[in-house]
Amino acid sequence: ALPILDISALHQKLADAGQQHLLQFWKDLPSDQQAELATELQGMDFAELNVFFQRAMKGFGHSASQEKMDARMEAVPKEVLGSVTRDRDRLPEWENEGFSQISQNKVAVLLLAGGQGTRLGFAYPKGMYDVGLPSHKTLFQIQAERILRLEGLADERHGTKCTIPWYIMTSGRTMESTKEFFRKHKYFGLRKENIVFFQQGMLPAMSFEGKILLEAKGRLSMAPDCLSTRLNS
């Protein structure tokens, strides 16, 4: 357990932030869970969390006061949107431009791989799932081979060695297993330095009153933060 002074300071910090309810089950927790919860709470910037909450509620109130979204939705004008089925005569032009950009190292791949395959009856990251092909290739391997193929085609067309960096977003639950899977399979022929793993951030889930929610007596309820915050960082 934490020293009395630390507990007192933590109580005060939470009271100042209006989050003192987070310690309501403190006496029910064993010492290791007390220490874990206290460490997590002490590391939180409640002022920043409040800014996020106020911003979210402002956006929610604004949208709720407007007319229904369906009434405001309009189709995008055809002239500003290409279609691989409607504009088949332009496909060679788009393909050439794509390979040109790849050859100049101006293209990267972003893969959002934070989820586990629980709905597939699979306890690991979905990218490790065998989708049932005769080759038994996983989704990660299929994607890696596509990247290798695109690099090769761009090289053939433009005569320059190029790289398509692969950014793979994981979650706290999938980061280590994903990295280990790639190490085990020697990065599927890609260069290790061209694969960047990064973890999606998490924020406490909050009620409409701005109160942080508990998932269990000694554990906060956490939810993924906005993807844009990861990209901006």
Side-chain angles (χ1 to χ4, degrees), residues 144-184:
E145 290 178 353
R146 286 176 174 174
I147 292 173
L148 281 168
R149 179 59 176 157
L150 285 172
E151 289 176 342
L153 288 171
D155 183 15
E156 291 174 11
R157 293 191 180 205
H158 295 273
T160 57
K161 289 291 183 183
C162 58
T163 296
I164 301 176
W166 191 5
Y167 293 88
I168 301 176
M169 188 192 76
T170 69
S171 65
R173 295 176 179 175
T174 62
M175 171 66 93
E176 290 308 316
S177 55
T178 299
K179 292 170 71 173
E180 177 57 32
F181 189 73
F182 273 77
R183 283 192 293 265
K184 178 181 177 181

Side-chain angles (χ1 to χ4, degrees), residues 21-212:
H21 65 285
L22 296 175
L23 294 181
Q24 62 183 306
F25 301 111
W26 180 263
K27 293 181 179 179
D28 298 339
L29 302 175
S31 58
D32 59 331
Q33 291 185 28
Q34 287 182 346
E36 186 176 337
L37 177 61
T39 299
E40 186 172 22
L41 293 174
Q42 287 171 335
M44 284 190 170
D45 185 340
F46 290 104
E48 183 179 44
L49 283 173
N50 186 56
V51 170
F52 292 154
F53 173 75
Q54 295 298 334
R55 188 183 302 161
M57 291 305 294
K58 182 179 179 181
F60 176 80
H62 179 67
S63 61
S65 65
Q66 292 178 329
E67 58 184 316
K68 290 184 178 180
M69 182 64 72
D70 290 347
R72 298 187 293 114
M73 293 292 286
E74 295 181 359
V76 177
K78 289 184 178 181
E79 58 269 20
V80 301
L81 189 66
S83 168
V84 294
T85 55
R86 188 182 65 244
D87 304 313
R88 301 192 66 83
D89 57 322
R90 298 196 62 188
L91 291 182
E93 173 192 345
W94 293 341
E95 183 176 289
N96 290 335
E97 179 61 24
F99 281 118
S100 174
Q101 295 296 319
I102 292 172
S103 71
Q104 298 174 63
N105 296 314
K106 293 182 177 180
V107 174
V109 172
L110 172 63
L111 179 66
L112 309 183
Q116 294 175 295
T118 50
R119 283 180 291 183
L120 300 171
F122 186 67
Y124 299 96
K126 286 194 286 286
M128 296 164 56
Y129 186 67
D130 180 343
V131 295
L133 296 174
S135 64
H136 296 289
K137 291 179 181 179
T138 63
L139 293 172
F140 281 142
Q141 182 176 352
I142 293 170
Q143 185 69 59
E145 290 178 353
R146 286 176 174 174
I147 292 173
L148 281 168
R149 179 59 176 157
L150 285 172
E151 289 176 342
L153 288 171
D155 183 15
E156 291 174 11
R157 293 191 180 205
H158 295 273
T160 57
K161 289 291 183 183
C162 58
T163 296
I164 301 176
W166 191 5
Y167 293 88
I168 301 176
M169 188 192 76
T170 69
S171 65
R173 295 176 179 175
T174 62
M175 171 66 93
E176 290 308 316
S177 55
T178 299
K179 292 170 71 173
E180 177 57 32
F181 189 73
F182 273 77
R183 283 192 293 265
K184 178 181 177 181
H185 293 278
K186 296 180 171 53
Y187 300 92
F188 303 103
L190 295 168
R191 291 194 293 275
K192 176 182 177 180
E193 60 270 23
N194 294 333
I195 302 177
V196 180
F197 299 97
F198 66 101
Q199 187 171 314
Q200 183 176 22
M202 303 291 285
L203 287 173
M206 304 179 80
S207 70
F208 284 106
E209 291 73 40
K211 302 295 185 183
I212 295 174

